[in-house]
């Protein structure tokens, strides 16, 4: 059982690192005239860096707790 939980924890760590790495800075868009800009509502979604960090930390904590269990 401990092996399965360790594999799940390592999977969470890898997924977190992948999300952080996939959020590389995108090239800046070309500048447009101010008259062509349409105001858009703010983003309400979490960024991949935040999700990746949460998965990374959660995976590490889960891994440590799995190995500490007697």
């Amino acid at each position: 059982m401990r092996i399965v939980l360790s594999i799940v924890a390592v999977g969470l760590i890898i997924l977190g690192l992948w999300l952080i790495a996939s959020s590389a800075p995108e090239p800046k868009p070309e500048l447009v005239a101010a008259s062509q800009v349409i105001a858009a509502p703010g983003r309400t979604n979490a960024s991949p860096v935040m999700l990746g960090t949460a998965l990374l930390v959660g995976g590490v904590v889960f891994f440590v707790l799995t190995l500490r269990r007697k």
Side-chain angles (χ1 to χ4, degrees):
M1 185 66 170
R2 195 182 274 188
I3 293 172
V4 173
L5 292 176
S6 296
I7 291 171
V8 170
V10 169
L12 287 174
I13 293 169
I14 291 172
L15 181 62
L17 289 173
W18 178 71
L19 278 171
I20 293 171
S22 69
S23 63
E26 299 175 2
K28 294 183 179 179
E30 296 179 18
L31 296 176
V32 295
S35 61
Q36 297 176 349
V37 175
I38 299 173
R43 286 181 58 182
T44 57
N45 298 339
S47 71
V49 174
M50 292 171 58
L51 293 174
T53 304
L55 279 172
L56 180 64
V57 170
V60 168
V61 169
F62 188 55
F63 187 70
V64 168
L65 290 177
T66 301
L67 294 181
R68 277 190 57 184
R69 198 170 195 190
K70 292 183 179 181

